[in-house]
Amino acid sequence: MHRVNIRSSKGFTFLDSLLELLALSIMLPLAAMFYLFSSQFLVDLDSSATEFRLFALELQQYLDGSEQIYIMRDGKGVRIVREGVVYDIELYGSVVRKRKDQLGHEIMLTDVKNSFFQLKGKRLTIQLEFHSGAKEEADYALALPD
């Protein structure tokens, strides 16, 4: 009786190589798709975009019902007069901060590299660049009294 040794390397054939190549050709595209999905998922987790959306919504609340709006510090900030209270929203270092009646400050947005506030007629445009390289822009139509 002849015994077959399964662990022997004598039976390695061209067919085995083709099967391994087939398995590899199936797995590599799946690995590439997983990598692309995970990289997009990490982009979606970027907090600066979410933080900017919250900043834009909060700024909208200050602009609603405002009486006067001025650009300050060569476009680095905006002054909003609302119900007799003065709000300064400006870039200070790497944060956009809000000051009420020139007292204290509240951080509204972090990790900002550069900002540009522009007022054209009854339209306020804000352009921000973050240290991560992301750029965000918001545009507001103002209902200022004449």
Side-chain angles (χ1 to χ4, degrees):
M1 182 170 211
H2 187 332
R3 252 179 144 179
V4 177
N5 188 358
I6 297 176
R7 297 180 189 204
S8 170
S9 63
K10 287 183 178 180
F12 184 77
T13 63
F14 181 67
L15 186 59
D16 291 333
S17 297
L18 287 178
L19 289 175
E20 289 175 7
L21 187 62
L22 178 66
L24 189 63
S25 66
I26 291 172
M27 295 304 289
L28 285 179
L30 291 175
M33 286 184 354
F34 175 75
Y35 173 75
L36 291 174
F37 172 76
S38 62
S39 65
Q40 182 60 38
F41 183 72
L42 291 175
V43 168
D44 290 341
L45 288 179
D46 182 22
S47 64
S48 63
T50 304
E51 190 177 9
F52 177 76
R53 289 185 198 107
L54 292 172
F55 165 76
L57 288 172
E58 185 176 1
L59 182 59
Q60 179 67 48
Q61 293 175 351
Y62 290 105
L63 292 173
D64 288 342
S66 58
E67 299 158 6
Q68 297 173 335
I69 296 177
Y70 305 100
I71 299 298
M72 50 189 265
R73 296 183 54 218
D74 296 325
K76 297 290 182 189
V78 64
R79 175 168 285 166
I80 302 168
V81 180
R82 182 177 179 221
E83 298 174 359
V85 180
V86 177
Y87 297 98
D88 292 335
I89 298 172
E90 61 187 342
L91 179 66
Y92 183 79
S94 65
V95 298
V96 174
R97 69 179 185 177
K98 173 185 69 175
R99 295 182 352 159
K100 180 179 176 182
D101 287 329
Q102 303 292 324
L103 301 172
H105 66 271
E106 176 185 330
I107 295 174
M108 296 177 76
L109 196 56
T110 60
D111 199 33
V112 179
K113 183 178 180 181
N114 198 4
S115 71
F116 183 67
F117 293 78
Q118 184 178 20
L119 185 63
K120 285 186 179 176
K122 291 191 174 188
R123 199 158 197 85
L124 177 67
T125 304
I126 301 171
Q127 298 170 343
L128 297 173
E129 181 181 356
F130 293 91
H131 286 289
S132 65
K135 295 182 180 181
E136 297 285 350
E137 185 174 334
D139 195 30
Y140 299 95
L142 305 172
L144 296 172
D146 292 325

